[in-house]
Amino acid sequence: MIDLILFYIGVALVFIGGVMDILATIGFFKFKEFYTRLHAATIGSIGGGLYPLIGVVFIVLGLDIDYNLKLVFTGTSIIAAGIIALATPAGSHILARGVYRSREESPSVIIDRLGEDLERGEME
Amino acid sequence: MNRGYSVSIVVFTIILAVVYLVYTGSYGLVEITIALLVGVGVSLVLAPDLILNPSKMSPRRFITAIYYLVKYFTIIEAKAHWSVLKLILMPSAKYNPAIVRIPYSVTSDYSILLISNSITNTPGTVVIDVDEKRKYLYVHWIDATSVEDQEARKSVSEEFENYAYKIFE
């Protein structure tokens, strides 16, 4: 019984992850600008990358397989999820900073506090 | 070698060994020995730089950190995902992207990392730049409800900052 519940929780998480990946792709085409596309990329990496890995953990725990195999698959998935959670924000942060600082693309925003502070010289 | 130094080495070794054992997935005697030996070697070199104040380590902070992780990856992430998915799914969605300035008051590097990673990991907000002298984060916010510093802090980072105080400060 508990195996079946774990298995279906895992399948639901993997399914949600796939749907999020598709929606993030649609978001990439809908948003027209670099900075707003970054938010769609975050959906792809957390909703479409981390949640399916947690789903794999639940699926493997619910399967009727050897105990050692369960340990290997759950452990690898958990560590990979942790690395994704730690590393992807660093990636999108450095992308945003690099594009902003190089003036490659000026953001179309209602207010730009960073630009104001850079112009006034309060932030180097 | 004082007490805090050895405590930080022991804790860091245990963390490293647990990560290694979870990753390999085998818990034999040989694996545990390798994990502990490598863990001691690495933490002898790195622990003094990574754990600056050993007296701050306590089980209560670990439990708060785990509680925060579970809450963050279920409730907070789900809300943020839904708010950006609505913008993607509605054909005529209006949104106001803005780069807002968010003040923070934490001091340690770990707290700044926790706050800015939490902000960037939620869809809808991305940290663009950090000013460590004046203690500001510059955040690109896809649907800004307010452009004033304190108002923006309330809706973007106040909850993360409260937990950063409990976990790292």
Side-chain angles (χ1 to χ4, degrees):
Chain A
M1 184 62 198
I2 192 92
D3 287 2
L4 214 61
I5 292 171
L6 283 174
F7 182 77
Y8 281 119
I9 290 175
V11 170
L13 278 172
V14 173
F15 180 76
I16 289 171
V19 172
M20 290 241 193
D21 266 336
I22 294 170
L23 290 176
T25 322
I26 297 170
F28 253 76
F29 286 101
K30 191 186 172 189
F31 297 139
K32 297 296 179 201
E33 192 211 359
F34 170 77
Y35 298 94
T36 39
R37 279 179 178 170
L38 267 183
H39 302 300
T42 313
I43 290 186
S45 67
I46 299 297
L50 191 137
Y51 284 143
L53 279 170
I54 305 296
V56 168
V57 172
F58 282 117
I59 288 178
V60 172
L61 284 179
L63 285 180
D64 186 20
I65 54 171
D66 189 31
Y67 189 64
N68 283 325
L69 270 178
K70 280 190 187 185
L71 286 178
V72 170
F73 278 100
T74 52
T76 317
S77 302
I78 287 173
I79 299 292
I83 290 173
I84 285 179
L86 275 176
T88 50
S92 25
H93 164 65
I94 210 69
L95 268 176
R97 188 175 191 274
V99 170
Y100 192 92
R101 291 280 174 145
S102 65
R103 313 242 171 237
E104 196 65 41
E105 182 165 336
S106 57
S108 63
V109 288
I110 55 171
I111 192 158
D112 185 356
R113 298 279 188 205
L114 180 54
E116 289 169 14
D117 282 4
L118 282 172
E119 259 175 39
R120 271 184 286 162
E122 289 177 2
M123 160 114 191
E124 68 260 356
Chain B
M1 190 188 281
N2 56 12
R3 192 173 157 273
Y5 181 65
S6 34
V7 168
S8 67
I9 283 179
V10 168
V11 171
F12 200 63
T13 305
I14 291 172
I15 292 173
L16 281 176
V18 165
V19 169
Y20 175 80
L21 288 173
V22 167
Y23 186 68
T24 53
S26 50
Y27 296 86
L29 191 63
V30 183
E31 293 285 345
I32 292 174
T33 319
I34 291 173
L36 287 177
L37 281 179
V38 176
V40 167
V42 172
S43 50
L44 274 175
V45 179
L46 291 182
D49 291 332
L50 289 177
I51 302 175
L52 296 176
N53 195 344
S55 63
K56 278 183 185 167
M57 285 191 299
S58 70
R60 200 169 54 85
R61 285 173 196 261
F62 276 104
I63 292 166
T64 317
I66 290 166
Y67 172 74
Y68 172 68
L69 274 181
V70 171
K71 189 186 173 192
Y72 178 77
F73 280 114
T74 51
I75 300 168
I76 301 174
E77 283 282 3
K79 274 185 198 164
H81 272 83
W82 179 239
S83 65
V84 179
L85 284 177
K86 265 194 298 192
L87 293 182
I88 293 175
L89 289 172
M90 284 197 294
S92 62
K94 290 270 182 295
Y95 53 93
N96 319 307
I99 294 177
V100 293
R101 185 173 52 199
I102 289 176
Y104 64 88
S105 53
V106 295
T107 49
S108 81
D109 282 350
Y110 284 114
S111 312
I112 300 172
L113 179 79
L114 180 76
I115 292 172
S116 47
N117 262 9
S118 301
I119 290 174
T120 309
N121 252 343
T122 48
T125 45
V126 170
V127 177
I128 291 186
D129 218 329
V130 186
D131 189 344
E132 286 186 53
K133 264 185 210 153
R134 291 156 63 228
K135 298 208 165 196
Y136 284 126
L137 296 169
Y138 295 90
V139 175
H140 186 277
W141 190 3
I142 196 169
D143 194 10
T145 52
S146 165
V147 293
E148 296 307 316
D149 292 2
Q150 290 298 332
E151 297 284 316
R153 178 178 170 270
K154 238 175 226 167
S155 39
V156 173
S157 77
E158 193 173 37
E159 191 172 17
F160 308 143
E161 205 170 329
N162 289 339
Y163 278 103
Y165 263 110
K166 283 180 199 160
I167 296 170
F168 288 122
E169 288 296 306

